Amino acid sequence: VLFTLSVQEFVSCAPNPHHCGGTGGCAGSTAELAFSFAIQHGITEEWSFGYASGQGAAVQCSILDRPKLGDADEHHVANSAEELSTEVNRSPVRVHRGSSAARRRHLVGDRTSNISNDPSNRTFVDNAVASIESFANLPGNSYDSLMAVVAHIGPVVVNVAAAGWSLYSGGVFDDEQVTNRDINHVVVLEGYGTDEDSGLDYWLVRNSYGPTWGEKGYIRLKRVDPATLEDPESDCRMDVTPAEGISCTIDGGGKTVQPNPVKVCGTSGILYDGVVPLGGHLI
């Protein structure tokens, strides 16, 4: 049985108290926060909580009223693609859960902030049909890790600098001439290949702009192995607005902070931050 899972659940319900990648909802969040929410509360179906924020509308979360599913204590940060492969193939998959009073760690940019879990808010979502056991962050700006995981495990959620994407209509997209790559969008890396006409290697990315955009909803980003470059750093740029990507602007003490610029590599910064859900299952 295949289920169409609710996107609106993550937009409306996943909390973002430290303003990581935005202030929450349509104003921005991170894949890590969405996956943490899925571990704790499960994922409902599209028919149960349909998508209504396509034009930026704020939709109240109205599906949290069942007994709790679980508690995400912390997620696993993979040190290498090999470690992640071992994690996935191990039986059972390593699960990070704790008591209702536990605190989970959320990796954000160049630091870790603790996000307190309020036990009174841990409930199933209505009609929850699926969940995940854990999730892993790939090593930042690692071409080899991203290639290994998408080739041998499956799709990877990646954060990208999507400036210039709105006019994309096809072909292999290249942002080599940009000065900065400011991460501001979350997409799914589904594969890779080589363009038959140009000979350019590419990453195959599914976007959220709808099937009429790009190549039936997809974009191909130029794929460059840094090992083939005379200067591997030449494919990197700075993200000078990291709070629009994954960094947080409120620290663990509730104080406003200014994240430092970060280095992002690969076309559109695709190598910077990859996240993989682990142990998906029906409930």
Side-chain angles (χ1 to χ4, degrees):
V1 177
L2 294 178
F3 294 98
T4 300
L5 302 178
S6 172
V7 174
Q8 192 65 51
E9 173 182 330
F10 297 115
V11 176
S12 296
C13 302
N16 188 2
H18 293 277
H19 292 183
C20 304
T23 57
C26 289
S29 189
T30 69
E32 290 89 342
L33 288 171
F35 287 147
S36 289
F37 187 85
I39 293 171
Q40 289 185 291
H41 303 293
I43 312 169
T44 192
E45 293 187 74
E46 174 68 16
W47 68 263
S48 181
F49 197 19
Y51 189 60
S53 293
Q55 302 301 318
V59 178
Q60 183 177 1
C61 180
S62 59
I63 56 174
L64 285 173
D65 60 2
R66 296 173 60 192
K68 74 174 184 178
L69 170 65
D71 176 20
D73 180 14
E74 65 178 33
H75 71 269
H76 178 56
V77 180
N79 293 317
S80 66
E82 290 76 18
E83 181 180 349
L84 180 56
S85 297
T86 300
E87 190 75 13
V88 172
N89 293 328
R90 182 181 302 154
S91 180
V93 173
R94 183 178 179 186
V95 180
H96 299 270
R97 288 181 178 167
S99 67
S100 61
R103 299 169 70 88
R104 70 178 181 275
R105 296 197 319 168
H106 174 217
L107 187 70
V108 284
D110 58 356
R111 70 182 188 281
T112 299
S113 65
N114 287 321
I115 300 177
S116 180
N117 292 320
D118 180 355
S120 65
N121 288 333
R122 287 200 200 91
T123 59
F124 271 134
V125 295
D126 282 342
N127 303 306
V129 294
S131 186
I132 60 174
E133 297 290 352
S134 59
F135 60 93
N137 284 88
L138 303 188
N141 293 323
S142 172
Y143 175 91
D144 290 340
S145 294
L146 188 60
M147 173 65 85
V149 171
V150 75
H152 299 292
I153 296 177
V156 181
V157 176
V158 291
N159 286 270
V160 294
W165 282 27
S166 60
L167 299 179
Y168 173 78
S169 60
V172 178
F173 181 86
D174 184 6
D175 68 348
E176 184 178 3
Q177 302 303 317
V178 301
T179 301
N180 296 317
R181 289 182 176 132
D182 295 325
I183 302 296
N184 62 358
H185 192 43
V186 181
V187 291
V188 179
L189 172 63
E190 292 192 353
Y192 59 92
T194 301
D195 183 71
E196 293 182 357
D197 295 328
S198 66
L200 292 174
D201 293 333
Y202 63 82
W203 301 106
L204 181 64
V205 172
R206 177 164 57 87
N207 199 3
S208 57
Y209 295 170
T212 61
W213 175 86
E215 296 180 334
K216 297 182 178 180
Y218 285 77
I219 184 172
R220 290 182 292 160
L221 302 180
K222 185 178 179 181
R223 175 170 55 89
V224 178
D225 184 347
T228 65
L229 301 175
E230 183 176 349
D231 177 12
E233 294 291 312
S234 65
D235 197 36
C236 300
R237 302 289 188 277
M238 295 304 295
D239 177 354
V240 298
T241 58
E244 296 180 6
I246 64 171
S247 294
C248 304
T249 58
I250 297 179
D251 66 16
K255 296 181 179 179
T256 300
V257 295
Q258 182 63 45
N260 294 321
V262 294
K263 180 176 71 174
V264 300
C265 302
T267 301
S268 296
I270 192 171
L271 302 182
Y272 174 58
D273 182 62
V275 190
V276 183
L278 302 173
H281 59 274
L282 299 179
I283 57 177

